[in-house]
Amino acid sequence: MGKAAVVILLKVLMILISTAWLSLWLLKPTNLWTRKWKAAESSARNTVFGYYGLDFTVYTFPVIAVAMIGLVYLNLQSWGQRNSRQIRSSTAAFSNPLVTSNLVGILSGVEILSVFLFILFLAWTFYTRISHDFTKLTPMESLKLDLWQLKFLRVATRFGLLAEACLAFLLLPILRELAVFRILGIQFEASVRYHIWLGTAMICFATFHGASTLFIWGVSHYIQDEITKWQRTGRIYLAGEITLVVGLVMWITSLPQIRRKRFEIFYYIHHLYIIFLVFFLLHAGDRHFYMIFAGVFLFCLDKLLRILQSWPQTHILSARLYPCKVVELILPKDTGLKYTPTSIIFMKIPSISRFQWHSFSITSSSTIDHHTMSVLVKCDGRWTTSLYDNIRAQLDSDADKMKSVPVAIEGPYGPSSLTFLRYDNLLLVAGGIGITPFLSILHEIAATQGNGSSRYRLPSRIQLIYVVKKSQYIGLLKSVSSLLQNHPSNKCHLKLKVFVTQEKQCGATLGEMLNEASQVQWVHFGLKGPIYSIHGPQSLYWTAALAGIASITFLVFLICFNYIFVPSGKNTSGHHSSKLAVSSKMKAPKENSPSWVADILIISSFIISLACPSLVAIVLRWRRLKKEEVPLVSSKEEKVQQLSSIETKGVVEEEHEVHFGGRPNLEDEFSKFLNETNGSDIGVLVSGPETMKEAVASLCQQKSGCFHIGNKEKKPYLSFHALTFTL
């Protein structure tokens, strides 16, 4: 009861802080806020914190605080609390798909409402700002512009503020360890599309902002004077031009046509975000930078923690080569590392590429595999094909000459609870290599049934619809053949329906096709001496503490640097050169020091604030590694014995279905399953091509009884979940 009360308190606290922070964005364009904020800054100038401490505390720290509290909140939530059966409600419909489109994908009611509110916020910001500008429009003596030119320049300026608003939220969806979206139950791989939407909107607003400004300079014949100006105070136009060009290059190379076919180009050019952010700071000034600094702060800290997490490198213990050109990699893990099904890891193999990271869904269960974890890799791209060729080459070499393959691992990242257990029944739809997250779910269910644990309530019925091009892919199900046998002692009933689309009927049974998995080839790599296991991220408590240490360090060093490097009475406070007064009787002159001085101090304080928690994280990492002694040989043998025992199980029951020569009629399959489950709540999970996800989402929208709660007849509620592990 005490833990439950703390969880509720933390949730309320996060809601209050988030509401207050969002309210700042709504009030900031108003005259009321301008007057109140100027008064607050005047009062803060006489304190040790100054205006910069006030800006950081009000604009930046609330988001960092929500991330810290959210980590504690997630850690306190026990799996038992999250595994209760789903309760029907009229608001549950908002989490299910409402729109399915090839253009925008699958959108739920919550997402549509959020997008609408964000557009409304942007419209409110622009209207409030521009209406205030037009009422107080005065000719500029330095630039002799016509009235229409001056108005158009004001419009262009306000579009820059819209780009700033998008940038403030841009980096939050792609956090992994400090993930704010995890609090809402949205995983990293699903929230990446919000990053894409925000980035596209930001580039559109910024392009209009920059192009319109250049246009006004051109028609007024001031373009040669203004375009290369690096003025002493105020906005630095050249820095803004560099920011826009870098942003456009990053956006163009991230388009699907380039990202999917030339991933290397997308990946390397996207690291220009460092140049983008530095020049944005120089262009907009420190006051505007504090508005977007929360996302930058969390992202950079998150990036550093992930780099430390992937050090030192580990090695692949062994690999299985399937006939369908799929490789299963067996990796060592610490016995204390626990992860939930559908979790993903990010992998880098330096022998293939020193910088590229690729995401893969974990297929094993930490409940069963204490020393190892496994992933399946479909080898159809340049990076994955190189991996396949390297492993294939090991087969032709002598056993004594097999070389170890070092790898760096980030993760695992996944849901904080076994969410799939809360449904009465499960309907799983997979296409091709999309079977991988479902294997982890089935392994977890098999482990729960095997140990007789009463902690979890398992779904009573599970149906797996597996669509593949070739029957060779059926061999990937070999590891869950014990569940396919449906022993009377099993707590849940699993039915498998396989659809082979590009082959005709063959005489082999499902059991015989599964036994073809024995044709896979094992590769055991030569490993000498102890190796490091995968430990995963730091605990949520430690991650929250590191974020707090970084925040305090930044503020302390920023205050010290301002007092040391900016003389009394000459302290700059950002663009337009408002100065920090160290005495209530002293007013700082306006033009005593360049505006970029404050920007350099922010960058310096920021670098130091990241270095301090990094040192703490290194110490924690070193202590964990010092305690480790990996029983390398026993780990490998354990995994081989487990797989061998699986392959010697009994024959799979013939109630499962295998269809050849066409795709499944998903509407008929859904109708049959709904009739069998008799109106109970169903969790629908889909993993595969986007077209498959859209088809399943449409069926969930049509057949769910969530909108018919008033009817006396009990109708099923289908809860839709799309699983993604390819970014």
Side-chain angles (χ1 to χ4, degrees):
M1 184 64 183
K3 182 183 291 187
V6 174
V7 168
I8 294 174
L9 180 62
L10 292 177
K11 184 184 294 186
V12 172
L13 186 59
M14 286 188 293
I15 293 174
L16 292 177
I17 296 176
S18 301
T19 304
W21 185 72
L22 293 174
S23 299
L24 294 179
W25 283 91
L26 294 174
L27 293 173
K28 194 172 184 292
T30 63
N31 293 329
L32 174 64
W33 176 260
T34 302
R35 293 194 303 269
K36 296 293 184 182
W37 186 248
K38 286 183 178 179
E41 282 192 325
S42 298
S43 301
R45 287 193 184 101
N46 303 322
T47 66
V48 67
F49 292 103
Y51 92 95
Y52 41 80
L54 181 65
D55 280 7
F56 177 80
T57 304
V58 174
Y59 291 128
T60 301
F61 188 71
V63 181
I64 302 174
V66 169
M68 295 167 56
I69 297 171
L71 293 174
V72 178
Y73 167 79
L74 291 173
N75 197 72
L76 288 177
Q77 281 187 321
S78 64
W79 283 7
Q81 290 175 323
R82 299 292 295 273
N83 292 332
S84 58
R85 283 288 185 256
Q86 177 123 344
I87 301 175
R88 296 188 186 195
S89 66
S90 58
T91 58
F94 287 98
S95 61
N96 252 12
L98 195 61
V99 173
T100 56
S101 169
N102 293 331
L103 181 62
V104 298
I106 304 168
L107 297 179
S108 65
V110 171
E111 290 174 325
I112 294 174
L113 180 62
S114 300
V115 171
F116 173 76
L117 292 176
F118 188 74
I119 294 175
L120 197 64
F121 155 70
L122 294 178
W124 156 258
T125 300
F126 179 78
Y127 171 78
T128 307
R129 291 286 192 183
I130 203 64
S131 59
H132 176 70
D133 290 343
F134 284 178
T135 56
K136 296 186 177 182
L137 198 62
T138 56
M140 299 176 63
E141 296 181 359
S142 58
L143 295 176
K144 297 179 180 180
L145 301 178
D146 296 336
L147 182 61
W148 74 269
Q149 294 172 345
L150 192 56
K151 287 185 176 181
F152 194 72
L153 186 61
R154 290 295 185 185
V155 170
T157 302
R158 296 315 176 191
F159 264 83
L161 292 180
L162 298 184
E164 176 188 303
C166 295
L167 182 57
F169 296 90
L170 179 65
L171 298 176
L172 297 180
I174 55 175
L175 299 176
R176 298 181 195 173
E177 290 200 31
L178 290 162
V180 178
F181 277 65
R182 279 184 63 192
I183 305 170
L184 304 176
I186 304 174
Q187 299 306 310
F188 163 78
E189 60 274 15
S191 63
V192 168
R193 66 172 177 171
Y194 307 141
H195 172 75
I196 297 174
W197 294 349
L198 289 167
T200 302
M202 181 196 70
I203 288 297
C204 290
F205 293 137
T207 302
F208 183 87
H209 165 70
S212 299
T213 303
L214 292 175
F215 171 73
I216 293 299
W217 288 347
V219 298
S220 60
H221 307 292
Y222 282 97
I223 190 167
Q224 293 181 349
D225 298 330
E226 299 292 337
I227 195 170
T228 58
K229 182 181 290 186
W230 190 286
Q231 61 272 34
R232 189 170 185 273
T233 59
R235 286 183 173 83
I236 300 175
Y237 296 131
L238 181 58
E241 294 155 14
I242 296 173
T243 303
L244 178 59
V245 171
V246 172
L248 282 171
V249 171
M250 292 172 60
W251 179 76
I252 291 172
T253 55
S254 66
L255 294 174
Q257 295 83 352
I258 298 177
R259 186 180 72 249
R260 294 172 182 171
K261 296 181 180 180
R262 295 289 185 270
F263 182 82
E264 294 84 358
I265 296 176
F266 154 75
Y267 181 82
Y268 293 127
I269 290 183
H270 232 60
H271 284 78
L272 294 177
Y273 68 84
I274 300 174
I275 298 176
F276 177 88
L277 292 172
V278 170
F279 280 94
F280 173 83
L281 170 61
L282 295 172
H283 170 62
D286 59 335
R287 288 179 182 273
H288 286 273
F289 192 72
Y290 280 123
M291 299 296 295
I292 64 104
F293 189 41
V296 176
F297 189 93
L298 291 175
F299 175 78
C300 293
L301 180 59
D302 184 83
K303 183 76 172 179
L304 278 176
L305 293 179
R306 290 189 283 114
I307 291 174
L308 294 175
Q309 181 198 151
S310 62
W311 175 85
Q313 296 177 354
T314 183
H315 293 77
I316 300 175
L317 296 179
S318 55
R320 292 178 98 193
L321 297 176
Y322 286 86
C324 54
K325 207 174 180 182
V326 172
V327 178
E328 181 181 14
L329 303 179
I330 313 300
L331 304 168
K333 83 170 187 68
D334 184 69
T335 55
L337 175 60
K338 302 297 179 182
Y339 51 85
T340 51
T342 72
S343 295
I344 65 171
I345 61 171
F346 288 81
M347 180 187 300
K348 179 181 71 173
I349 301 181
S351 59
I352 299 177
S353 174
R354 296 183 60 86
F355 301 104
Q356 285 188 42
W357 291 86
H358 293 263
S359 60
F360 300 100
S361 180
I362 301 175
T363 59
S364 56
S365 168
S366 58
T367 306
I368 301 176
D369 300 324
H370 301 291
H371 295 287
T372 61
M373 69 167 58
S374 59
V375 296
L376 288 176
V377 181
K378 182 181 179 182
C379 304
D380 58 355
R382 182 180 301 179
W383 189 90
T384 53
T385 300
S386 298
L387 171 63
Y388 184 87
D389 293 339
N390 290 346
I391 296 176
R392 189 81 186 176
Q394 296 279 13
L395 290 173
D396 302 328
S397 62
D398 297 334
D400 296 335
K401 296 182 180 180
M402 285 204 176
K403 299 179 181 179
S404 60
V405 181
V407 294
I409 300 295
E410 285 183 16
Y413 305 110
S416 57
S417 64
L418 302 176
T419 53
F420 65 90
L421 292 178
R422 65 185 180 184
Y423 300 107
D424 299 324
N425 301 278
L426 279 179
L427 179 58
L428 313 177
V429 184
I433 198 62
I435 192 65
T436 51
F438 297 149
L439 291 178
S440 64
I441 291 178
L442 296 177
H443 281 143
E444 189 68 31
I445 291 176
T448 303
Q449 291 185 155
N451 59 25
S453 174
S454 60
R455 182 180 178 184
Y456 308 122
R457 293 179 57 189
L458 297 176
S460 57
R461 297 182 66 88
I462 302 175
Q463 180 165 303
L464 172 59
I465 300 175
Y466 188 27
V467 185
V468 295
K469 294 181 179 180
K470 304 290 184 180
S471 59
Q472 293 175 330
Y473 281 93
I474 299 178
L476 301 179
L477 300 172
K478 182 64 177 179
S479 60
V480 294
S481 59
S482 60
L483 269 181
L484 295 174
Q485 296 174 38
N486 285 325
H487 296 296
S489 59
N490 289 358
K491 298 179 182 179
C492 63
H493 181 272
L494 172 64
K495 184 173 183 179
L496 172 65
K497 292 186 178 183
V498 181
F499 293 84
V500 184
T501 61
Q502 295 184 3
E503 289 183 2
K504 295 183 179 180
Q505 182 76 39
C506 68
T509 64
L510 176 61
E512 292 172 344
M513 286 185 283
L514 283 175
N515 287 330
E516 290 182 1
S518 60
Q519 300 175 4
V520 301
Q521 296 174 297
W522 270 102
V523 179
H524 300 289
F525 295 100
L527 301 171
K528 297 181 180 180
I531 62 172
Y532 292 103
S533 297
I534 300 170
H535 286 270
Q538 289 287 349
S539 69
L540 296 180
Y541 286 145
W542 267 114
T543 305
L546 293 175
I549 293 172
S551 303
I552 296 172
T553 304
F554 172 81
L555 189 57
V556 169
F557 275 90
L558 183 62
I559 293 172
C560 294
F561 284 159
N562 272 272
Y563 275 95
I564 294 173
F565 294 103
V566 181
S568 177
K570 298 182 181 181
N571 200 328
T572 178
S573 64
H575 85 276
H576 298 308
S577 302
S578 300
K579 307 304 177 196
L580 171 67
V582 293
S583 172
S584 60
K585 297 181 181 179
M586 182 183 299
K587 293 185 178 179
K590 293 183 178 180
E591 302 293 341
N592 284 339
S593 58
S595 58
W596 49 263
V597 171
D599 303 338
I600 300 300
L601 296 184
I602 287 178
I603 295 174
S604 303
S605 304
F606 182 45
I607 293 174
I608 296 174
S609 70
L610 294 180
C612 291
S614 297
L615 291 176
V616 177
I618 290 173
V619 173
L620 294 175
R621 181 73 172 167
W622 177 78
R623 290 180 61 185
R624 294 174 70 179
L625 295 175
K626 189 177 179 181
K627 298 178 181 178
E628 178 186 6
E629 280 294 334
V630 180
L632 180 58
V633 177
S634 63
S635 298
K636 186 193 301 182
E637 291 177 349
E638 177 187 358
K639 185 64 181 178
V640 174
Q641 291 173 0
Q642 290 171 357
L643 292 170
S644 301
S645 63
I646 289 173
E647 292 175 357
T648 57
K649 296 283 183 180
V651 180
V652 176
E653 292 186 4
E654 296 305 324
E655 65 173 310
H656 306 294
E657 303 174 10
V658 182
H659 304 273
F660 290 85
R663 299 179 182 275
N665 187 328
L666 291 177
E667 186 171 0
D668 290 345
E669 298 298 333
F670 270 60
S671 299
K672 293 177 183 177
F673 190 71
L674 291 178
N675 292 333
E676 294 173 358
T677 54
N678 227 1
S680 60
D681 294 333
I682 301 172
V684 180
L685 284 69
V686 58
S687 176
E690 292 301 319
T691 53
M692 174 183 286
K693 294 178 182 178
E694 292 170 6
V696 173
S698 298
L699 287 173
C700 289
Q701 181 183 352
Q702 296 170 11
K703 295 184 176 295
S704 180
C706 194
F707 290 103
H708 307 284
I709 298 175
N711 295 352
K712 294 183 179 179
E713 180 184 357
K714 184 180 180 182
K715 293 189 176 182
Y717 167 59
L718 281 70
S719 180
F720 174 82
H721 302 274
L723 303 180
T724 302
F725 56 93
T726 54
L727 306 178

